[in-house]
Amino acid sequence: MRYALYLGCAIPIKYPGFEAATRLVCERVGIELVDLPFSCCPPPTSMKLVHYDSWLALAARNLCLAEEAGLDLLTLCSGCVNTLKEANHILKQSDSKRRKVNRILEDHKHQFNGTIKVTHILDVLYQDSVVERLLKERVRDVPLRIGCHYGCHYFRPPKIMYPQELSDAESYVPVSMDHLLSIIGVEPVEYSRKFLCCGSPLGANMDQDAGYEITRQKLGHIRDRNIQALSVVCPSCFEQFDMGQIVLGRKTKEKEKIPTFYLTQLIGLALGLSSKDVGLDVHRVKAKKLLESIEVA
Amino acid sequence: MTIKIWKHFPREDLYECYQCARCTGSCPAMEVAPAYGPRETILKCLNLGHDKVVEDEKVWLCCTCNVCEDRCPQKIPISDLLVALRNSAARRGNIPTRLSMALELLAKTGRSMIVHQLDEMRAHHGLSPLPAAPVEELRDILKKTGRDEVIEF
């Protein structure tokens, strides 16, 4: 199994620990990753809102690099997967948009042909063959009550992100992370507003206090279910919960903070990697006590 | 400079809205920030025209979470409308400072994030330095897509 690894911006720059954990986990389960000179995706929360044509052209360039290497593109972030899947979809559907983008990209020897798929690390790990491998390689359980937060852009709009999974109401909410984590001994816990926003885009673009208020409300529902930790598949959601609890703590004086993990960090722990290996040492809300309680170093 | 917003969103779809407000009721931004929400945005587009909507900075109070569209019983492509409105707003100079700063960084570095001592931080996690993005190529693409006409740096 071979993929072009699309790192995006936030993971390699702000949270390289997630990258390290992902590379180690992929190596253990037999997924080969190829690095290519990608740029920013660009985000569905910034460039797309300001200049749609630029958003589509830069996304197309990233897709072209993977096409040229003949590899499907593996993303690690809900924002990146949203942009790249949607751009791939649009450029395959619309002859006029594809022609327009290709006219610009041809000056740099790229041409969008629509030959590859865009996927996300969660979906790659959730494939049957990888799950079998994970079951074989797993050396310990991570028996924690965990709330999964998928991040809106990971699965919405479902007609573009997961067209094969649509319900009769043409809607869809994912279960993959809950299922995947249960095979490493996690107890996935449901909570109210599970599939709603973490608050990040509102804070990043407009109003930080309003963004964190969304986070505070969501954390309230998470606390109601005695959830011990969160699992995310997006660096922006991660920052909103990890950094967000520090910022919110200054106002709310809430002492009990809930650690957040990036998915591959939890999988890495189950495969026998240390907290340092998977980069947990740089999280703002420390998971040390929690991990000691289940004898993970 | 303006964009023809109805090229990007079918204007007649606005009439599909029967103002049930399920979109606004599910909107996480509306719960914490006083703005219009998708329902009133559609109503304003119908009653006042989209020109009035894109003048207001509140058009940016949105999480882009797509819940409005997901829950719309009439299947109105609300996200497409909100993207088109904000593209139009940006062309009239209505763009949040934080957002234009992020896009300036993207044009300068090819990435939308920056930290000091990146190499050291990556080395701490056992990773090699991150190769620079092909900035010249990206800038040329952005010039040709017309981005420079919208945001000046």
Side-chain angles (χ1 to χ4, degrees):
Chain A
M1 213 178 284
R2 227 166 149 240
Y3 291 97
L5 175 64
Y6 184 83
L7 287 170
C9 301
I11 288 187
I13 294 174
K14 228 171 190 175
Y15 298 113
F18 304 176
E19 178 186 339
T22 305
R23 288 185 189 275
L24 291 168
V25 165
C26 285
E27 198 185 319
R28 289 285 176 94
V29 297
I31 297 168
E32 196 188 331
L33 302 173
V34 177
D35 291 289
L36 297 170
F38 293 120
S39 71
C40 179
C41 57
T45 53
S46 65
M47 185 64 99
K48 188 183 181 188
L49 306 179
V50 173
H51 203 274
Y52 185 91
D53 291 347
S54 300
W55 169 80
L56 192 60
L58 290 188
R61 179 191 166 275
N62 286 322
L63 294 165
C64 287
L65 295 189
E67 285 186 0
E68 287 152 20
L71 294 169
D72 284 343
L73 196 148
L74 166 59
T75 60
L76 307 181
C77 160
S78 299
C80 300
V81 78
N82 189 277
T83 279
L84 296 169
K85 247 193 207 184
E86 182 163 350
N88 205 21
H89 174 86
I90 291 166
L91 293 167
K92 279 182 192 179
Q93 300 283 315
S94 164
D95 292 343
S96 63
K97 285 186 175 138
R98 189 173 59 247
R99 270 198 302 272
K100 200 167 154 192
V101 159
N102 276 339
R103 263 201 301 276
I104 292 169
L105 293 184
E106 72 183 3
D107 296 346
H108 300 281
K109 313 258 182 298
H110 301 302
Q111 185 180 19
F112 178 90
N113 293 312
T115 54
I116 58 133
K117 283 197 191 110
V118 175
T119 185
H120 186 284
I121 185 70
L122 171 53
D123 298 336
V124 166
L125 294 176
Y126 192 49
Q127 297 173 97
D128 289 350
S129 61
V130 180
V131 168
E132 270 172 40
R133 187 80 188 263
L134 272 172
L135 285 165
K136 252 186 244 160
E137 301 281 336
R138 177 191 54 167
V139 298
R140 67 181 168 217
D141 275 347
V142 186
L144 296 171
R145 283 174 61 82
I146 285 185
C148 292
H149 170 85
Y150 291 82
C152 303
H153 297 97
Y154 167 75
F155 67 101
R156 271 194 292 262
K159 64 175 186 238
I160 286 171
M161 302 308 288
Y162 291 93
Q164 73 284 12
E165 308 275 1
L166 292 184
S167 68
D168 292 345
E170 290 176 43
S171 191
Y172 164 73
V173 287
V175 290
S176 45
M177 196 174 359
D178 294 72
H179 287 185
L180 189 63
L181 287 176
S182 64
I183 71 163
I184 57 161
V186 164
E187 184 192 338
V189 183
E190 293 296 322
Y191 60 96
S192 185
R193 302 199 189 184
K194 180 176 175 182
F195 296 105
L196 293 187
C197 180
C198 63
S200 170
L202 194 59
N205 290 345
M206 266 303 264
D207 184 338
Q208 202 145 30
D209 287 343
Y212 281 136
E213 176 56 19
I214 294 178
T215 318
R216 190 191 66 77
Q217 292 183 8
K218 188 149 174 152
L219 285 164
H221 293 288
I222 288 163
R223 284 202 175 84
D224 285 347
R225 300 287 287 124
N226 296 320
I227 285 169
Q228 293 174 293
L230 293 169
S231 175
V232 298
V233 288
C234 169
S236 300
C237 302
F238 175 86
E239 184 175 32
Q240 196 68 12
F241 290 120
D242 188 57
M243 184 68 165
Q245 287 187 79
I246 304 295
V247 177
L248 282 168
R250 290 174 194 147
K251 276 191 208 154
T252 63
K253 309 287 175 211
E254 175 69 59
K255 286 219 171 64
E256 287 298 313
K257 296 191 169 60
I258 301 169
T260 309
F261 297 96
Y262 183 75
L263 174 72
T264 52
Q265 294 181 312
L266 287 167
I267 305 276
L269 294 176
L271 295 177
L273 299 170
S274 72
S275 344
K276 166 83 176 39
D277 292 338
V278 299
L280 288 175
D281 53 330
V282 300
H283 290 202
R284 299 297 301 271
V285 178
K286 301 294 176 197
K288 199 164 181 278
K289 260 194 204 157
L290 190 62
L291 291 177
E292 277 168 5
S293 73
I294 54 164
E295 291 170 4
V296 172
Chain B
M1 199 178 99
T2 57
I3 61 163
K4 293 186 181 72
I5 194 166
W6 309 120
K7 255 175 73 180
H8 302 275
F9 176 86
R11 190 173 200 161
E12 56 276 22
D13 276 9
L14 294 175
Y15 296 101
E16 294 283 335
C17 175
Y18 53 63
Q19 296 283 311
C20 73
R22 200 191 281 187
C23 52
T24 296
S26 345
C27 175
M30 275 299 291
E31 195 160 338
V32 297
Y36 307 126
R39 180 196 69 86
E40 209 175 332
T41 300
I42 291 175
L43 195 63
K44 274 176 184 276
C45 283
L46 279 169
N47 291 351
L48 306 173
H50 79 280
D51 289 352
K52 287 279 170 229
V53 178
V54 301
E55 276 170 12
D56 197 323
E57 64 168 20
K58 283 181 178 167
V59 74
W60 293 97
L61 281 167
C62 164
C63 298
T64 69
C65 71
N66 276 301
V67 168
C68 48
E69 182 173 309
D70 200 34
R71 296 191 180 169
C72 174
Q74 295 289 79
K75 299 288 163 212
I76 300 172
I78 305 174
S79 309
D80 292 350
L81 172 68
L82 296 176
V83 168
L85 285 172
R86 273 169 277 165
N87 267 258
S88 179
R91 277 165 178 72
R92 292 160 201 233
N94 174 8
I95 171 171
T97 313
R98 298 172 71 103
L99 199 46
S100 56
M101 280 168 69
L103 294 179
E104 181 179 352
L105 186 66
L106 202 167
K108 278 184 182 158
T109 68
R111 304 188 199 277
S112 50
M113 212 137 300
I114 195 163
V115 292
H116 294 296
Q117 296 166 334
L118 177 60
D119 291 354
E120 289 87 336
M121 203 165 105
R122 289 179 59 81
H124 171 79
H125 293 285
L127 297 166
S128 46
L130 192 66
V135 179
E136 291 303 317
E137 183 180 340
L138 301 175
R139 290 224 64 152
D140 184 63
I141 293 172
L142 289 174
K143 201 173 150 201
K144 287 172 181 157
T145 53
R147 195 290 322 260
D148 291 357
E149 294 160 35
V150 177
I151 322 161
E152 282 176 56
F153 297 137

